[in-house]
Amino acid sequence: MRLRPFAAGLFVALAVLAAPCHLPFGGLPAMAGKANANDSGRAPRASSVPPARDPSAAIAEEYELARRKGTPEAFELFIARHGDDPLADKARAELRRLSR
């Protein structure tokens, strides 16, 4: 009787398909369904990345640091980095005042 090896093979195939690590009929792993959990209508989680700073505030802070340092090198560096900013005109005036 060759029916027993066939039954054993069928049993193994069913055991493999019933294992918890197989993909569901959608073809996506179980974690992919969890990754799309925000689609369920719940509020999204807050991002852990802080919002970007205002660039003009960062430039003003850098100008203030150059002004506190008060050296020609500090103003030259500010002008090199932010030559088209309105504060660069103030830095140029400070640089002219220092070079006298």
Side-chain angles (χ1 to χ4, degrees):
M1 296 206 135
R2 296 183 84 97
L3 197 53
R4 287 187 186 243
F6 176 75
L10 185 60
F11 177 76
V12 170
L14 286 174
V16 168
L17 289 175
C21 64
H22 80 282
L23 297 177
F25 283 111
L28 296 174
M31 291 305 292
K34 290 181 181 179
N36 296 328
N38 284 344
D39 297 338
S40 66
R42 288 185 288 172
R45 289 177 32 187
S47 175
S48 61
V49 178
R53 271 181 51 169
D54 181 24
S56 60
I59 293 171
E61 184 178 295
E62 194 171 335
Y63 172 76
E64 186 61 30
L65 289 173
R67 194 183 64 74
R68 279 189 211 155
K69 218 173 206 183
T71 63
E73 293 83 14
F75 288 114
E76 288 170 357
L77 180 61
F78 179 83
I79 293 167
R81 287 183 179 170
H82 310 289
D84 57 344
D85 192 78
L87 287 175
D89 294 334
K90 286 185 172 183
R92 286 183 190 97
E94 289 288 331
L95 189 60
R96 283 191 297 272
R97 186 185 63 80
L98 289 174
S99 64
R100 286 189 212 163

